[in-house]
């Protein structure tokens, strides 16, 4: 198993988030990676540094003004004499203007964000950039003929849209990997998102694309984050119509119900006949996850890995969520082992 990781992830630390109405230390913290690395070491796998890429590569799935904002946001914050973490407090909701980018820093912070749960600190851009490089490197390896590769991305990416951040995500690592595979000449690429939370950013990016399939199994957005996207009737538009498949499931879903839906989701992937697969691998579907409500147990993760690996597709696995820190490593490695 080829694994890519950058220690720069640790620069994204120290933020608080507004989580379901309470300001708490971010659940998305560096120790998640430490536990995954420890389990990877126990499995006997080597970890490699990602390749370097020019920032221009981000324009393949993100708006240029958004990337420029992320790159410079903290320096601007400092320029205003501030320190600590940045969180937006106001958003352009219904009836307000989204057609012009506001001038002031705090106005732009809310303009580009969709929640107050994704703190930006001094090292956020460097960490997000390094995570994206991991995903791109994993994609490049698969293009070069590797059967599978895993990008240990932190911060995660699947909530980040073309021009917005949220849900701990800034650059959409999975979307960058999928686009990289397309740019290398693969004609059809599928993204399978098994994180507990709907990958609204990935859906947003490929919504009108007929060449990238998006299939997601997740908690019902009526009660689960990100709330405002992820319903079954969202099917894509234009050339992408029929290339988006959402499978929202109720709180309390266990492997019996999950695996039945997984079979249907995998059928959609097979029907699309992709030349490669990107997996948004969130292990917050685990029963012990502190912010999620499915009931998969540790023994279910090898099953999940086996089912996805059985597709026999060249596969890029990209780390998304998972906050049961003590168990995150074992659960991730259980999925990866099926590809080894
Ligand atoms: C709100 C919960 C954010 C969920 C992030 C996640 N603070 N996404 O795990 O997959
Ligand atoms: Zn998640």
């Amino acid at each position: 198993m080829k694994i890519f990781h950058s220690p720069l992830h640790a620069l994204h630390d120290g933020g608080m988030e507004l989580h379901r109405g309470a300001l708490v230390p971010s659940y998305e913290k560096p120790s998640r990676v430490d536990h995954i690395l420890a389990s990877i070491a126990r499995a006997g796998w080597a970890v490699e540094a990602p390749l370097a890429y020019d920032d221009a590569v981000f324009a393949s799935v993100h708006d240029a003004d958004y990337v420029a904002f992320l790159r410079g946001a903290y320096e601007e914050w400092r320029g205003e004499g501030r320190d600590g973490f940045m969180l937006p407090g106001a958003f352009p909701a219904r009836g307000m203007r989204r057609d012009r980018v506001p001038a002031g820093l705090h106005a732009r912070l809310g303009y580009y964000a969709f929640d107050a749960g994704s703190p930006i600190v001094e090292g956020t851009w460097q960490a997000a950039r390094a995570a994206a490089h991991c995903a791109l490197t994993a994609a490049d390896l698969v293009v070069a003929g590797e059967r599978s590769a895993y990008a240990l991305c932190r911060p995660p990416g699947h909530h980040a849209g073309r021009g917005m951040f949220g849900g701990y995500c800034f650059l959409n690592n999975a979307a960058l990997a999928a686009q990289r595979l397309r740019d290398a000449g693969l004609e059809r690429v599928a993204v399978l998102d098994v994180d507990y939370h709907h990958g609204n950013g990935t859906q947003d990016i490929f919504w009108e694309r007929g060449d990238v399939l998006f299939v997601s199994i997740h908690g019902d957005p009526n009660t689960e984050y990100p709330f405002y996207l992820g319903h079954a009737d969202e099917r894509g538009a234009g050339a992408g119509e029929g290339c988006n498949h959402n499978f929202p499931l109720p709180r309390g879903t266990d492997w019996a119900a999950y695996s039945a839906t997984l079979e249907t989701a995998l059928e959609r992937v097979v029907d699309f006949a992709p030349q490669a697969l990107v997996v948004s691998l969130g292990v917050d579907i685990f029963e012990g996850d502190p912010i999620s409500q499915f009931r998969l147990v540790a023994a279910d993760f090898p099953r999940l890995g086996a089912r996805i690996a059985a597709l026999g597709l060249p596969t890029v696995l990209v780390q998304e969520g998972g906050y049961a820190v003590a168990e995150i490593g074992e659960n991730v490695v259980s999925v990866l082992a099926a590809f080894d």
Side-chain angles (χ1 to χ4, degrees):
M1 170 59 63
K2 286 276 183 185
I3 297 173
F4 298 98
H5 155 75
S6 166
L8 294 176
H9 82 88
L11 297 175
H12 180 59
D13 188 17
M16 307 271 283
E17 64 168 299
L18 200 55
H19 178 70
R20 289 186 175 259
L23 192 63
V24 297
S26 188
Y27 286 94
E28 201 295 291
K29 53 191 177 189
S31 60
R32 299 174 58 240
V33 167
D34 301 336
H35 285 266
I36 296 173
L37 285 175
S39 295
I40 286 171
R42 276 196 293 278
W45 296 327
V47 176
E48 296 171 52
L51 301 171
Y53 296 83
D54 192 276
D55 284 356
V57 73
F58 303 139
S60 67
V61 304
H62 291 292
D63 296 334
D65 62 316
Y66 169 67
V67 174
F69 170 77
L70 285 181
R71 191 190 291 114
Y74 202 86
E75 211 174 298
E76 282 189 64
W77 179 255
R78 275 254 203 268
E80 293 189 354
R82 309 288 300 270
D83 59 9
F85 59 92
M86 301 170 71
L87 278 187
F91 307 92
R94 278 173 302 282
M96 301 177 99
R97 287 186 69 169
R98 293 205 53 86
D99 62 318
R100 61 188 302 280
V101 183
L105 173 61
H106 204 75
R108 258 178 300 134
L109 184 59
Y111 177 83
Y112 288 117
F114 69 92
D115 69 13
S118 312
I120 294 177
V121 298
E122 186 168 18
T124 297
W125 172 248
Q126 271 181 283
R129 206 166 157 266
H133 290 176
C134 291
L136 289 164
T137 307
D140 282 348
L141 255 274
V142 165
V143 167
E146 206 59 54
R147 202 229 141 173
S148 62
Y150 168 63
L152 206 187
C153 295
R154 179 182 175 275
H158 71 153
H159 294 301
R162 203 155 266 293
M164 68 182 187
F165 70 94
Y168 313 142
C169 301
F170 302 93
L171 295 172
N172 193 316
N173 307 310
L176 284 162
Q179 185 61 45
R180 189 80 178 170
L181 295 168
R182 283 287 297 112
D183 291 343
L186 282 71
E187 284 171 10
R188 286 179 312 284
V189 173
V191 180
L192 174 67
D193 190 321
V194 299
D195 187 281
Y196 180 76
H197 306 93
H198 176 248
N200 63 286
T202 315
Q203 173 169 312
D204 170 47
I205 288 165
F206 297 119
W207 184 245
E208 295 188 27
R209 296 270 297 269
D211 55 335
V212 180
L213 181 79
F214 180 64
V215 181
S216 179
I217 308 171
H218 48 266
D220 182 348
N222 279 297
T223 58
E224 307 311 296
Y225 188 91
F227 305 121
Y228 313 113
L229 215 57
H231 296 280
D233 63 353
E234 296 158 15
R235 307 261 301 152
E241 196 171 339
C243 294
N244 196 93
H245 299 279
N246 286 329
F247 296 92
L249 293 174
R251 288 180 164 212
T253 293
D254 64 4
W255 176 251
Y258 187 93
S259 60
T261 299
L262 178 65
E263 293 308 316
T264 310
L266 294 175
E267 273 171 33
R268 297 283 185 281
V269 173
V270 170
D271 289 349
F272 187 71
Q275 279 131 355
L277 177 70
V278 175
V279 179
S280 267
L281 179 59
V283 294
D284 41 14
I285 48 181
F286 176 58
E287 61 169 354
D289 195 89
I291 62 169
S292 311
Q293 311 294 335
F294 283 174
R295 296 214 188 109
L296 272 71
V297 300
D300 296 328
F301 287 92
R303 298 181 180 118
L304 176 63
R307 282 305 297 126
I308 302 171
L311 292 173
L313 290 166
T315 302
V316 179
L317 298 116
V318 177
Q319 186 64 47
E320 303 284 0
Y323 310 97
V325 175
E327 295 92 351
I328 188 175
E330 188 196 338
N331 291 339
V332 166
V333 164
S334 290
V335 174
L336 300 185
F339 291 85
D340 198 30

